[in-house]
Amino acid sequence: MSTADLKPYIEPIQAIVQRHPRTITLTALITIATPWFVNNYNAFIDMGPGGLPWNAYGWLIALYRKPFSRETKSTALYDKDSNKTSYLKDPASIKERRGERPKTTWHVFPSRQLNKFAPSDIQKRLIAVFDKHASANPSLVEVVPSRFERLHPALVIHSSRTSPHKAATMARREICHIHRGKDFSLHATMAPQDCKLVIERGWGERHPLAGSHFLPKEYMLLYAPRDDEELAAVEQFMCAAIGYMANTQAVN
């Protein structure tokens, strides 16, 4: 079919576009963008409940928070921090984590990893580690529903203790919690130098909002442990988070 043959069909379309340019443009943009929004919403729902309402309203909040997100793997901000204290009991024993880092969510809430999940037996043992240190440190910590996740139990600074630093206040006194859904990653608030080690050796990264007015720069995503060696490292990180937030080296 030649251009001349198409002319009777093209001219009416051109006339409509000329009469309603804004409407046509908006319609085209909506048509192009709709698949992205549908996929993005499905990705939000697929991660399961966590912090925000698990529905379209929560998804819209997550979209609103996204522009505030920051990069998650640089360590220069910890080098600049005057606090050089580490709360890790044996940092030399923590080797570089094997393999590539897991992929993480596009959304800032919920902040999760998307692959390399913890096996079911390690999941149970990770929860046991959490419970062990909660019981072993009754004067330092207590267990309450996470003030961020709302669904998962969290270790927080014991109510009898004052918040020792600004990071504790910004983190709502929350020390750590386990994401007991798909991945079994953790969020933990750790000393600046311990955050640096975690990132440099591949064990985690900052929460995307860490370092903003939402969360302190010490708020970390720790990747889910996959075996005994990784579980031992995560246990060290958990104890270090307790020490930092309770301002003590005497963590059981």
Side-chain angles (χ1 to χ4, degrees):
M1 184 176 290
S2 66
T3 303
D5 294 329
L6 291 173
K7 189 174 182 180
Y9 303 98
I10 294 174
E11 288 181 344
I13 294 174
Q14 290 176 330
I16 293 172
V17 171
Q18 290 170 356
R19 287 198 300 268
H20 308 284
R22 293 182 181 178
T23 301
I24 298 300
T25 301
L26 180 61
T27 301
L29 289 174
I30 291 174
T31 301
I32 294 169
T34 294
W36 184 90
F37 282 107
V38 170
N39 291 336
N40 190 272
Y41 173 75
N42 288 337
F44 173 82
I45 293 298
D46 188 56
M47 289 313 302
L52 297 176
W54 195 39
N55 53 32
Y57 177 63
W59 171 65
L60 289 174
I61 296 174
L63 288 182
Y64 163 73
R65 297 277 177 87
K66 176 64 177 178
F68 297 96
S69 65
R70 303 181 175 197
E71 61 80 31
T72 59
K73 301 181 186 71
S74 67
T75 59
L77 67 174
Y78 304 122
D79 290 329
K80 296 176 183 177
D81 197 296
S82 60
N83 182 0
K84 302 302 181 183
T85 303
S86 172
Y87 291 83
L88 289 165
K89 290 186 176 179
D90 188 13
S93 70
I94 301 173
K95 307 303 181 184
E96 188 171 345
R97 185 178 180 274
R98 292 174 288 102
E100 296 181 355
R101 295 175 183 269
K103 296 179 180 179
T104 55
T105 49
W106 180 89
H107 300 95
V108 295
F109 291 121
S111 171
R112 298 286 191 273
Q113 63 186 72
L114 295 172
N115 59 354
K116 304 181 185 294
F117 299 156
S120 59
D121 62 320
I122 298 295
Q123 292 176 12
K124 295 174 183 176
R125 291 169 61 192
L126 178 60
I127 292 173
V129 166
F130 178 96
D131 293 341
K132 177 181 75 174
H133 291 292
S135 298
N137 297 280
S139 65
L140 303 181
V141 305
E142 52 193 5
V143 179
V144 301
S146 170
R147 291 155 185 174
F148 293 104
E149 294 288 334
R150 302 180 184 178
L151 299 175
H152 309 307
L155 291 180
V156 300
I157 301 170
H158 196 279
S159 55
S160 64
R161 304 178 72 90
T162 59
S163 297
H165 40 62
K166 182 179 178 181
T169 302
M170 287 189 70
R172 305 180 190 177
R173 296 169 59 87
E174 189 161 312
I175 298 168
C176 71
H177 59 255
I178 302 169
H179 303 130
R180 306 184 186 203
K182 278 189 172 185
D183 60 336
F184 276 72
S185 61
L186 304 86
H187 279 128
T189 311
M190 305 179 69
Q193 298 311 302
D194 295 337
C195 293
K196 179 180 178 180
L197 181 145
V198 165
I199 293 173
E200 288 182 340
R201 300 188 189 177
W203 292 95
E205 59 191 82
R206 276 185 303 282
H207 187 286
L209 293 179
S212 71
H213 65 279
F214 292 104
L215 292 170
K217 69 181 187 301
E218 295 85 359
Y219 196 80
M220 301 294 293
L221 172 68
L222 301 176
Y223 303 141
R226 298 167 294 181
D227 54 31
D228 290 346
E229 179 184 354
E230 294 188 2
L231 181 61
V234 170
E235 183 170 5
Q236 274 212 60
F237 300 146
M238 189 182 296
C239 290
I242 294 172
Y244 174 60
M245 293 289 275
N247 194 29
T248 179
Q249 295 284 356
V251 176
N252 297 315

